Amino acid sequence: MNLRFYTSMALLFTLAFAACQQNSGQRKRLKARDTVHYSKEEYIERTLDSNQLNTFIAAHPNYQPYAEFIKNFYSERNYHYAWINKEGLTEQAGNFINMMKTDAAFGIKDSAVNTPELRMLIDTLELSDSSLNANVSEIPRVEMMLTSQFFSYGNKVWGGLTSDNAKDLEWFIPRKKLDMSSLLDSMITGSGNIETNAPVNPQYKMLRERLKQLAVVNEHVKWDTLPSPPKNLKKGDSSALIAAVKVRLQAYGDLPGHDSSGVFDAATDTAVRNYQIRMGLKDDGLISPAIIKSLNVPIAQRIRQVLLNMERLRWVAVEPPKTYILVNVPEFKMHVYKDGKLDWSCNVVVGTPGANTVIFSNELRYVVFSPYWNVPPGILSKEVLPGIKRSGGAYLARQNMEIVGASGKAISPGSINWSKYSGRNFPYIVRQRPGGKNSLGKVKFLFPNEYNIYLHDTPAKYLFERDKRSFSHGCIRVEEPKHLAMWLLRNDSSWTEKKIDDAMNAGKEKYVTLKEKVPVFIGYFTAFVDSDGRLNFRDDVYGHDAKLAATLFGNN
């Protein structure tokens, strides 16, 4: 659908006309308009009575949160109409109405998006004479409702839930701010495409396009449950299940063409692998129980998953920084962006369910080579102190740990009455010395935060080979720590690859302060479009989707 959006930022309307009041049904004579700020095409002769506006807002509680914005908008344009001229609805009004209809058709079914009352009023106008006879009583109501609806729609579709809601949903990345009044001025006076220039993150726009495609699949493709194969099927095999899988892969766009045979050929192998990559499954080209389970997920459920992640994307900045690091927890991946483009990515290990990696943002400031690991209170209480109480200094020796006081000096474990202490009242620090056994590996990356979460190396390299990588106590283990260190220090010529290697293996802790801080975002996206333009889905590892769905959809 060709939806045009007028978004070039215009100057605020200059008050060009005297306030319009009606006496006995007669309108006062208008002052000459200010042609500097109103072109002939933009100017609309019709005006509202301010009392009409107050009465309308009082009768519509759902618009009252935006009452001041609505009143200010009309006051600044001296109560001239914005959406309806003598020919009928303006082009801008038609674009806005079409956009709301499109959103409703493709799953954004909220009263803030397209109200039944507005739909009824638009139908009334469309059935009336094309010149919109001045006696049509619904005209002022349509005008006021379109403006009110713009504020309601924008806050819902471009702004999303309130900050308090987001925090309840364990999202602590600062929310973007919207200036809806400026956006409305831009829409009715500018030019452009509403979908292209909407004040949302580019990822949101890409998901919105994929939402439309999924809606078409949901309407036209039958999605019965496929049986699990008795054995994995591979290239060269033939079966009826392969034919059914091809139909699914074609519906998703992984398999081009219309091949409905039961032969597992080279094209099917490529399509299966592409699907596996998009779903975070093992890329082995096999039709296995895991891929059948994924293909059996109803399209309606995938649509809902996209809607949930579109809601999260309403909260984030319209334009991300040019250079930043994104860790997407459900994807178990870290993505590094430079100059606005993806530079490289690698696997990560995140917190286990119950020891969730927190969703927040900060700035990376320090690289720490050969780090100590100060055991956090939870691990100290549950693992380390019980181990020390069982075997004393032997436990500490095996773990290459030491005990230090407030001064930073080591304390002999034999001088401590361990029976007196638990994790809560232990007055000392237990730390693991730098070295091969250190839980943080050979380097860590700090972006100081209240959650005590950071990026770090790990000696447990084998975990990166798993498809699902939620094994940590909350911090984020990086598969390519040396690559990250080199990337962060790339603009400092003194930090050569050899110097970085030496520092990682020095056995002596060294802090390096970055010359330029790098934004880090720990995100939670279970549906996203990757750098190759493919729609990806991931499991709801922490149950955040379920909580957000309850907030957005209730029991529906």
Side-chain angles (χ1 to χ4, degrees):
M1 189 173 293
N2 185 20
L3 306 176
R4 302 191 58 80
F5 183 42
Y6 295 77
T7 55
S8 59
M9 299 304 290
L11 296 172
L12 291 176
F13 290 107
T14 302
L15 293 177
F17 300 91
C20 179
Q21 302 291 331
Q22 291 184 350
N23 293 317
S24 302
Q26 300 297 316
R27 183 180 301 161
K28 289 185 178 180
R29 190 176 188 82
L30 295 174
K31 292 184 179 180
R33 58 189 172 86
D34 180 354
T35 55
V36 174
H37 294 99
Y38 285 110
S39 70
K40 182 178 180 180
E41 290 76 17
E42 292 167 345
Y43 183 72
I44 294 176
E45 291 288 343
R46 292 180 178 277
T47 59
L48 288 171
D49 185 325
S50 59
N51 290 328
Q52 284 179 305
L53 186 60
N54 292 332
T55 301
F56 172 84
I57 293 173
H60 292 81
N62 54 316
Y63 295 142
Q64 286 173 10
Y66 319 109
E68 290 306 310
F69 296 105
I70 298 166
K71 292 176 182 178
N72 288 340
F73 170 74
Y74 280 111
S75 175
E76 288 174 359
R77 63 187 291 108
N78 214 22
Y79 293 92
H80 285 280
Y81 279 28
W83 306 96
I84 303 173
N85 57 27
K86 61 184 178 181
E87 283 79 28
L89 292 170
T90 65
E91 183 181 5
Q92 297 93 321
N95 292 335
F96 179 44
I97 292 164
N98 286 336
M99 182 178 63
M100 289 188 290
K101 288 179 179 178
T102 300
D103 282 341
F106 292 114
I108 307 178
K109 297 177 180 178
D110 187 281
S111 61
V113 174
N114 196 7
T115 67
E117 182 182 4
L118 179 60
R119 291 197 299 271
M120 179 190 72
L121 290 172
I122 296 301
D123 290 344
T124 298
L125 285 190
E126 290 176 346
L127 290 171
S128 65
D129 186 86
S130 60
S131 63
L132 286 182
N133 188 306
N135 294 325
V136 176
S137 60
E138 303 294 5
I139 291 176
R141 195 147 64 106
V142 172
E143 167 67 31
M144 293 182 288
M145 182 161 286
L146 280 169
T147 297
S148 303
Q149 188 65 14
F150 184 89
F151 285 102
S152 179
Y153 174 94
N155 278 279
K156 167 67 182 178
V157 175
W158 298 331
L161 296 173
T162 65
S163 295
D164 288 342
N165 289 133
K167 289 177 180 177
D168 290 342
L169 296 165
E170 301 182 60
W171 182 279
F172 300 100
I173 296 175
R175 301 288 297 281
K176 73 179 182 189
K177 299 183 185 301
L178 282 177
D179 184 348
M180 291 301 302
S181 297
S182 293
L183 288 169
L184 178 52
D185 278 338
S186 299
M187 180 174 183
I188 63 174
T189 63
S191 61
N193 183 283
I194 191 167
E195 290 187 88
T196 301
N197 298 306
V200 286
N201 189 276
Q203 181 71 210
Y204 177 97
K205 298 173 185 177
M206 289 188 284
L207 279 185
R208 192 174 186 272
E209 288 303 312
R210 302 316 188 279
L211 181 67
K212 296 177 184 179
Q213 296 166 7
L214 289 175
V216 173
V217 173
N218 192 42
E219 182 176 356
H220 296 290
V221 180
K222 193 174 182 181
W223 216 261
D224 294 332
T225 301
L226 301 180
S228 185
K231 67 179 183 67
N232 292 341
L233 300 172
K234 62 184 184 301
K235 187 165 62 173
D237 290 341
S238 298
S239 78
L241 179 58
I242 293 171
V245 166
K246 285 183 177 182
V247 172
R248 300 281 166 99
L249 295 176
Q250 287 164 357
Y252 270 128
D254 296 286
L255 180 62
H258 301 282
D259 178 12
S260 59
S261 73
V263 178
F264 199 141
D265 56 11
T268 306
D269 179 79
T270 300
V272 167
R273 291 177 186 275
N274 191 66
Y275 180 84
Q276 289 172 326
I277 291 169
R278 294 195 304 109
M279 299 296 159
L281 301 172
K282 186 177 180 180
D283 173 16
D284 57 13
L286 300 177
I287 296 179
S288 63
I291 197 172
I292 295 299
K293 179 181 178 182
S294 176
L295 286 168
N296 278 333
V297 173
I299 291 295
Q301 185 174 326
R302 293 302 189 194
I303 288 174
R304 178 170 285 206
Q305 198 171 349
V306 170
L307 289 171
L308 293 172
N309 287 276
M310 286 174 66
E311 175 62 31
R312 292 190 179 104
L313 287 161
R314 293 181 180 112
W315 310 339
V316 305
V318 173
E319 289 294 335
K322 293 295 183 183
T323 297
Y324 67 99
I325 294 171
L326 168 66
V327 175
N328 185 18
V329 171
E331 187 187 7
F332 310 114
K333 285 271 190 179
M334 179 182 77
H335 304 284
V336 180
Y337 291 82
K338 183 177 74 171
D339 300 329
K341 296 181 179 179
L342 179 65
D343 197 21
W344 60 283
S345 302
C346 73
N347 292 336
V348 296
V349 171
V350 300
T352 60
N356 297 3
T357 297
V358 181
I359 310 305
F360 75 108
S361 63
N362 213 307
E363 293 182 317
L364 201 156
R365 304 180 185 186
Y366 309 105
V367 178
V368 185
F369 295 109
S370 297
Y372 282 99
W373 177 47
N374 292 334
V375 180
I379 301 175
L380 180 69
S381 177
K382 296 177 181 178
E383 300 178 24
V384 175
L385 285 183
I388 294 173
K389 289 177 181 180
R390 284 194 306 269
S391 55
Y395 176 88
L396 293 170
R398 285 196 304 272
Q399 301 298 327
N400 195 29
M401 289 179 174
E402 63 183 4
I403 302 164
V404 296
S407 65
K409 293 183 178 181
I411 297 172
S412 170
S415 66
I416 299 172
N417 183 356
W418 294 99
S419 63
K420 291 171 55 177
Y421 299 117
S422 65
R424 292 184 177 181
N425 68 352
F426 192 65
Y428 309 110
I429 295 172
V430 178
R431 69 182 185 183
Q432 194 172 38
R433 300 182 186 93
K437 291 185 177 181
N438 190 284
S439 295
L440 305 185
K442 298 178 179 181
V443 60
K444 67 179 178 180
F445 309 90
L446 299 182
F447 36 103
N449 58 82
E450 62 187 289
Y451 313 109
N452 197 30
I453 287 177
Y454 43 88
L455 305 170
H456 65 87
D457 182 20
T458 177
K461 306 294 187 184
Y462 66 94
L463 292 176
F464 294 113
E465 299 174 7
R466 307 282 182 88
D467 295 329
K468 312 298 181 185
R469 296 183 292 275
S470 55
F471 300 105
S472 81
H473 290 88
C475 286
I476 300 158
R477 306 174 190 176
V478 179
E479 185 175 26
E480 300 180 31
K482 178 183 172 182
H483 189 174
L484 180 57
M486 291 176 65
W487 186 86
L488 291 169
L489 297 168
R490 66 194 182 282
N491 296 324
D492 188 337
S493 59
S494 68
W495 280 100
T496 63
E497 182 175 358
K498 182 179 185 306
K499 186 175 179 180
I500 288 173
D501 275 329
D502 290 344
M504 289 177 67
N505 293 284
K508 183 178 180 180
E509 188 174 73
K510 181 177 181 59
Y511 270 71
V512 179
T513 302
L514 296 179
K515 293 180 179 179
E516 294 183 7
K517 301 171 185 175
V518 179
V520 176
F521 298 91
I522 315 299
Y524 194 93
F525 300 103
T526 58
F528 57 91
V529 178
D530 64 24
S531 59
D532 293 320
R534 299 175 297 194
L535 176 60
N536 283 240
F537 291 102
R538 294 296 186 274
D539 292 339
D540 182 18
V541 62
Y542 293 158
H544 290 345
D545 273 10
K547 290 180 67 174
L548 180 56
T551 300
L552 288 181
F553 308 126
N555 296 320
N556 295 332

